[in-house]
Amino acid sequence: MYKKLKLFILLSAVSIVGCSTSNNAVAKPESPHPTPVEYSKKLEILDRLENHDSTLSRMTEILAIEWHHLFTQKNEEDLWNTYFYLTWNLRPDEKERVKSELSTTHKELATYLDMQKQGILPAKEVSIKNIMAERNPNNDGYLVKASYLLTLKDGTTKEVRVELNADDYMETFNPRFNTIATGENLPEPKNEQERLRREFILRALDYNVIKKMTYDEILEMIDMKSVDTK
């Protein structure tokens, strides 16, 4: 669903499709002069399917659909791993950075870890009371506020509030989230074909796009064709 997961999800899709077709495909000798890839059809598919969401909609979605999972993790390790996943910090070095910034950037997680040590978490049930947003004081993004009602193990309830800023630009988004762009290390294009290839890679590596594709569209994306098994 997010930038740091894009490459992993697309490669997973490639692996799945490759396995499903390998038994039926006939090996072809490699051409000494490969035919240039036609990116026009691939980009047409992306034009139809890709998201045009804003940082506000992305942050609202995170708080509405994902954040509440932090309150129901059964132990500290699961809580850490859930937070890493939600904030797109998946590599070992990224995880270590989160741990080193626990008292500054990731104060919410520090609070939840304390609640778990005190036996308050995990909650038996979590419901979302409300979510609202307003322009932040600097007018460079939105402050998204969410309230969660936790039903604890002893039957009592506790309200937890979360306020996360969503910058207007996805590249910065929020310091809790690792938004280094996938493809940042791609070489600068030297010609039109390389430019189209770069555009395709940066636009295609999105789980929310891939999951909308048909089987044939996935095959088109990875330069495979449907195999007639009749």
Side-chain angles (χ1 to χ4, degrees), residues 5-222:
L5 298 179
K6 292 175 179 179
L7 183 57
F8 172 77
I9 296 298
L10 184 61
L11 291 177
S12 297
V14 171
S15 298
I16 292 171
V17 174
C19 290
S20 65
T21 59
S22 60
N23 291 333
N24 298 309
V26 177
K28 296 181 179 180
E30 293 187 5
S31 170
H33 302 289
T35 303
V37 177
E38 292 289 340
Y39 286 103
S40 58
K41 187 171 183 179
K42 302 178 191 296
L43 293 174
E44 286 177 6
I45 294 173
L46 292 174
D47 286 337
R48 179 168 59 84
L49 298 178
E50 71 181 343
N51 295 321
H52 298 283
D53 57 351
S54 64
T55 57
L56 173 59
S57 66
R58 180 63 61 88
M59 181 62 80
T60 301
E61 179 180 343
I62 290 170
L63 291 178
I65 299 176
E66 300 187 71
W67 198 265
H68 65 89
H69 293 302
L70 294 169
F71 305 122
T72 57
Q73 299 308 306
K74 61 183 179 180
N75 54 50
E76 182 175 323
E77 181 181 2
D78 288 348
L79 177 54
W80 276 108
N81 289 332
T82 300
Y83 188 81
F84 292 145
Y85 175 81
L86 293 185
T87 57
W88 320 331
N89 292 283
L90 301 179
R91 297 198 316 251
D93 61 310
E94 295 164 356
K95 295 178 181 180
E96 290 303 314
R97 186 172 64 249
V98 170
K99 293 178 180 179
S100 69
E101 297 175 348
L102 196 58
S103 62
T104 54
T105 304
H106 304 278
K107 292 181 178 179
E108 295 85 6
L109 177 59
T111 298
Y112 305 157
L113 289 168
D114 286 341
M115 291 171 65
Q116 194 167 67
K117 290 177 181 177
Q118 297 170 23
I120 299 173
L121 297 180
K124 289 176 59 178
E125 296 179 3
V126 181
S127 59
I128 302 174
K129 291 186 63 176
N130 60 69
I131 295 179
M132 59 177 294
E134 60 188 27
R135 291 296 290 179
N136 63 27
N138 296 328
N139 198 35
D140 59 3
Y142 287 88
L143 186 63
V144 187
K145 304 177 181 180
S147 295
Y148 303 90
L149 186 63
L150 279 56
T151 301
L152 308 182
K153 289 180 287 187
D154 61 4
T156 61
T157 59
K158 180 179 179 63
E159 183 175 346
V160 177
R161 297 179 181 178
V162 181
E163 296 184 2
L164 298 180
N165 191 72
D167 293 346
D168 285 331
Y169 301 100
M170 191 66 77
E171 288 77 11
T172 53
F173 189 61
N174 184 291
R176 297 159 185 81
F177 296 80
N178 187 28
T179 55
I180 298 174
T182 301
E184 62 180 342
N185 295 320
L186 289 175
E188 288 299 318
K190 296 184 177 64
N191 51 50
E192 180 64 10
Q193 181 75 357
E194 290 186 4
R195 187 194 68 77
L196 290 172
R197 176 178 178 272
R198 182 185 178 94
E199 179 184 354
F200 164 68
I201 291 172
L202 294 179
R203 291 174 60 186
L205 304 181
D206 190 330
Y207 169 70
N208 288 311
V209 173
I210 293 170
K211 70 181 182 181
K212 298 176 186 177
M213 292 182 190
T214 64
Y215 179 75
D216 286 339
E217 287 171 339
I218 292 175
L219 295 182
E220 170 64 33
M221 286 292 174
I222 59 179

